[in-house]
Amino acid sequence: MAVTLSGNVAKRNVLVVNAGSSSLKLGVLGPDDTVLAARHVERWDADTGPLRDFLAAAPAVDAVGHRVVHGGAATSALLIDDHVRADLERLTSLAPLHQPRALAGIDAVGEVLPGVRQVACFDTAFHATMPPHATTYALPSQWRQKWDLRRYGFHGLSHAYASRRAVELAGAPDARVVSCHLGAGASLAAIHKGRSVDTTMGFTPLAGLVMATRSGDVDPGLLVWLLRAGLSLDELEDGLEHHSGLAGLSGTGDMRDVRRAAEAGDERAMLALRVYVHRLCQAIAAMAASLGGIDVLVFTGGVGEHDAELRTEVGARLAFLGAMDVFVVEAREDLEIAGRTRAVLDFEECS
């Protein structure tokens, strides 16, 4: 395993680490963003073995970029040190499925590559450009001030890449874009001139659209009622995070299985699809309203990229919004992370 530590980072290889709620994606991207090596570990137990095995056969790396779901108030990627890591750990309660996994990835790399600088690239940072009226909850001011309650937004790395690529394909730099990241987690973003204007997720990644196992938006009064009815906080959190969404409606969180079951006449699956599409179209129209119109609609993520029937139905239902370009863009968070990692370290070297 070779490691190089000097020279202009923009000209060298970046190891991209994307630790999901259960999986680990690794990739080494060269200076021209060519993928030199890649591995997807389906079940990762936070041990260093898969990382060591991958790096043993991969090209030398000069820097490491991590996808981190929650960056709090950070507006850009940050070079990781003890202080930054401690700040990220304090945000764990806001993204309990993902934040501990990102921290485990950071720690694993620190053990295996102790001399290589690491950069945290935040999903929340892209949405730091949202205006106050889009981020502010109508809650008591003392609550908002004490706990910094606000809408953060997520999937920013994916939305940034997909929207930029869609604008390139449309040849319209001033286009008003609604980006649809549809996967196990799902969110929309309203984007104009590369800046996030609005999004569907909020204080946590639980808000917004119906997802694989997450509920999306739910009447807060209903949640209070469930607690008063005897549900514990742990039961409520587990149900909303792991047993809701498509899984709660149909018995499975995999859209492919839901669609197959619906085609076979399963009533629960048919309802799940109707709910999913209803909420999705409703939210796209809301994002268009935040932009004052829509010029480009882009789909990305596993469901967004591969479910043509879904895209066709959404397009038909949104015809009232007028003409728009529709694109499918492969999710490439790795490119976004590599680029931001190089930018941070080049800045550090020039400072």
Side-chain angles (χ1 to χ4, degrees), residues 68 70-72 80-96 98-104 106-107 120 122:
V68 180
H70 214 307
I80 298 171
D81 55 21
D82 290 343
H83 175 73
V84 169
R85 194 205 175 284
D87 285 344
L88 298 182
E89 190 162 15
R90 281 191 284 270
L91 294 168
T92 294
S93 64
L94 304 186
H98 298 91
Q99 203 77 354
R101 305 288 291 179
L103 292 169
I106 291 168
D107 293 342
F122 306 113

Side-chain angles (χ1 to χ4, degrees), residues 181-187 200 206-217 244-249 255 272-280 283:
H181 176 96
L182 307 178
S187 70
T200 54
L206 188 56
L209 302 175
V210 173
M211 296 172 242
T213 65
R214 282 174 266 173
S215 64
D217 287 345
S244 296
L246 290 174
L249 292 168
M255 178 61 85
L273 284 176
R274 288 195 293 269
V275 171
Y276 188 97
V277 172
H278 172 74
R279 293 275 291 274
L280 176 57

Side-chain angles (χ1 to χ4, degrees), residues 107-302:
D107 293 342
V109 170
E111 182 177 339
V112 176
L113 299 175
V116 178
R117 290 171 294 176
Q118 303 186 65
V119 173
C121 301
F122 306 113
D123 272 321
T124 49
F126 178 68
H127 300 293
T129 57
M130 290 194 299
H133 61 259
T135 62
T136 304
Y137 286 117
L139 294 171
S141 60
Q142 59 267 36
W143 295 3
R144 290 186 279 111
Q145 292 168 7
K146 182 176 181 179
W147 292 297
D148 195 21
L149 304 181
R150 51 159 291 176
R151 295 178 65 243
Y152 287 101
F154 299 90
H155 292 134
L157 296 166
S158 179
H159 287 306
Y161 176 79
S163 61
R164 186 171 63 251
R165 181 64 182 137
V167 165
E168 292 172 355
L169 292 169
D174 293 333
R176 297 164 296 183
V177 181
V178 175
S179 171
C180 307
H181 176 96
L182 307 178
S187 70
L188 308 181
I191 301 160
H192 187 221
K193 296 183 178 179
R195 296 168 65 87
S196 176
V197 174
D198 204 350
T199 190
T200 54
M201 283 184 168
F203 184 65
T204 74
L206 188 56
L209 302 175
V210 173
M211 296 172 242
T213 65
R214 282 174 266 173
S215 64
D217 287 345
V218 176
D219 178 356
L222 183 153
L223 305 181
V224 173
W225 186 92
L226 287 172
L227 291 172
R228 292 186 186 277
L231 211 61
S232 71
L233 282 172
D234 288 342
E235 288 172 328
L236 181 63
E237 182 180 46
D238 182 57
L240 293 172
E241 293 277 6
H242 301 290
H243 305 289
S244 296
L246 290 174
L249 292 168
S250 72
T252 175
D254 191 317
M255 178 61 85
R256 295 165 296 185
D257 293 337
V258 175
R259 191 166 291 285
R260 280 192 288 267
E263 291 170 352
D266 185 290
E267 292 186 359
R268 293 196 307 162
M270 289 189 285
L271 175 61
L273 284 176
R274 288 195 293 269
V275 171
Y276 188 97
V277 172
H278 172 74
R279 293 275 291 274
L280 176 57
C281 291
Q282 189 180 54
I284 291 172
M287 293 295 104
S290 294
L291 288 165
I294 179 173
D295 304 304
V296 172
L297 180 65
V298 56
F299 292 91
T300 191

